[in-house]
Amino acid sequence: MDDVPEVCQRATLYRQEKDWKQYGAQISRTALVNWIIYCSQNYFQWMYDYFHRELLKRGFAMADETRVEVLNEEGRKAQSQSYMWLL
């Protein structure tokens, strides 16, 4: 993917929908999401299962603490920092 600009490698589905429309293809975000879900369930489930089995063999798990900006969360000011925990 060296010839693909870095920004394109992480394009949101909203941006991809707009890009496809520019090229004359009307592809909704709903369709894009459904394709992602279908592929993950039908082509990548084996990989998830493998990594899950390997994770359960370990005596520990590593986690990533990523800060995210929250715009509308009950009881909090806009743009306050929250954390997303990934195991």
Side-chain angles (χ1 to χ4, degrees), residues 20-81:
W20 283 113
K21 189 174 185 177
Q22 260 184 337
Y23 293 119
Q26 192 75 28
I27 303 174
S28 70
R29 277 175 280 172
T30 303
L32 293 169
V33 166
N34 287 332
W35 292 346
I36 291 168
I37 292 169
Y38 178 86
C39 289
S40 67
Q41 291 174 339
N42 291 284
Y43 302 117
F44 296 111
Q45 186 66 45
W46 67 269
M47 190 183 312
Y48 171 84
D49 294 339
Y50 169 78
F51 285 121
H52 186 248
R53 283 192 307 273
E54 292 300 310
L55 180 64
L56 293 177
K57 289 179 186 177
R58 298 173 182 253
F60 66 94
M62 293 180 278
D64 176 41
E65 179 182 82
T66 302
R67 289 191 314 199
V68 292
E69 189 177 284
V70 176
L71 297 177
N72 293 316
E73 188 175 358
E74 190 175 320
R76 302 192 65 180
K77 289 192 273 182
Q79 289 92 20
S80 63
Q81 292 291 313

Side-chain angles (χ1 to χ4, degrees), residues 2 5-6 26:
D2 293 336
E6 187 175 329
Q26 192 75 28

Side-chain angles (χ1 to χ4, degrees), residues 3-5 7-8 11 14-27 32:
D3 56 340
V4 178
V7 69
C8 294
Y14 170 75
R15 187 178 300 152
Q16 289 181 44
E17 179 184 36
K18 284 175 49 177
D19 290 345
W20 283 113
K21 189 174 185 177
Q22 260 184 337
Y23 293 119
Q26 192 75 28
I27 303 174
L32 293 169

